[in-house]
Amino acid sequence: MNLVRKQVWFFVILLIGIISSVNLVIAATREAELKLYIETDPQDTFPVPAGIKNQLFYLQRTTNTNTVIYSLNVNDKGELDESTPVKVFWIRYPEGGMRKELNFIQKAFAYGTISKKNKDGSFTIQLVAYKKKEFTLKKSPSDNTYKMYTQINNKESEIKRVYIQIDPGGTLFNPNVRYIEMKGKEAATNKPIMERFKP
């Protein structure tokens, strides 16, 4: 009889240990999921444009996943249109990833570009909505193809992505921008680089 009691107590203690271990695993998993949720910025869940010919960089905003593509503007022969070297258009992911041109207001006041050709053959590019930040379109010394460069963390870098965090309280022509995030690659080292700043 004592042997049976000992066996019963053994299995009870073993069961309690198993349940405790399972609870610890569940708690640790939930904590890890919560930490991942807190540390994951919204833009890290956005779609990444792929397979777009002559893409230079892209821009996304908090508003939705619609993405503005900045691409090299070339003709059928692959020659650069020096009067308008950058072509800008939408990839509208909520609508199945369809391509759509910018309308007049978007082009003139939000996402369009201003360009000026320089003596060395490069182009100075500005976004109409934020002219303080200048970009340079020029050929890369590594592969002789056009790429877009700008200063990220005070280092010349090839820009790949711009993300704009917009908070409530602004207007169409004066949005409440919390920060602008720029990601790219250092021109000198090819290492990833990122900067956030308040415009």
Side-chain angles (χ1 to χ4, degrees), residues 58-72:
Y58 63 97
L59 181 150
Q60 294 174 320
R61 309 140 302 133
T62 317
T63 319
N64 52 52
T65 58
N66 287 332
T67 300
V68 184
I69 303 294
Y70 293 82
S71 67
L72 201 62

Side-chain angles (χ1 to χ4, degrees), residues 41-56:
D41 291 321
Q43 63 268 34
D44 293 330
T45 65
F46 279 27
V48 177
I52 300 175
K53 191 175 181 180
N54 298 316
Q55 177 180 308
L56 295 166

Side-chain angles (χ1 to χ4, degrees), residues 151-169:
Q151 292 291 311
I152 302 178
N153 281 333
N154 297 317
K155 295 180 180 179
E156 184 182 41
S157 305
E158 180 190 350
I159 182 71
K160 305 300 289 184
R161 181 195 189 194
V162 176
Y163 175 79
I164 304 175
Q165 177 71 35
I166 302 173
D167 289 344

Side-chain angles (χ1 to χ4, degrees), residues 69-107:
I69 303 294
Y70 293 82
S71 67
L72 201 62
N73 189 20
V74 296
N75 60 24
D76 294 337
K77 297 179 180 179
E79 298 168 337
L80 181 66
D81 182 347
E82 295 188 352
S83 64
T84 312
V86 179
K87 185 173 180 59
V88 190
F89 57 90
W90 290 104
I91 295 294
R92 302 182 74 88
Y93 288 105
E95 300 172 34
M98 68 176 291
R99 174 171 167 164
K100 188 173 182 180
E101 299 302 317
L102 271 61
N103 62 36
F104 173 78
I105 292 177
Q106 292 165 349
K107 188 179 296 185

Side-chain angles (χ1 to χ4, degrees), residues 121-177:
S122 66
F123 296 84
T124 298
I125 307 294
Q126 294 173 304
L127 304 187
V128 294
Y130 191 66
K131 297 175 184 176
K132 292 181 182 179
K133 190 72 173 178
E134 288 193 344
F135 301 81
T136 302
L137 179 65
K138 63 181 181 179
K139 288 188 176 181
S140 166
S142 62
D143 59 10
N144 201 39
T145 61
Y146 279 103
K147 291 179 171 59
M148 191 77 82
Y149 296 89
T150 191
Q151 292 291 311
I152 302 178
N153 281 333
N154 297 317
K155 295 180 180 179
E156 184 182 41
S157 305
E158 180 190 350
I159 182 71
K160 305 300 289 184
R161 181 195 189 194
V162 176
Y163 175 79
I164 304 175
Q165 177 71 35
I166 302 173
D167 289 344
T171 64
L172 176 63
F173 292 101
N174 187 28
N176 183 20
V177 177

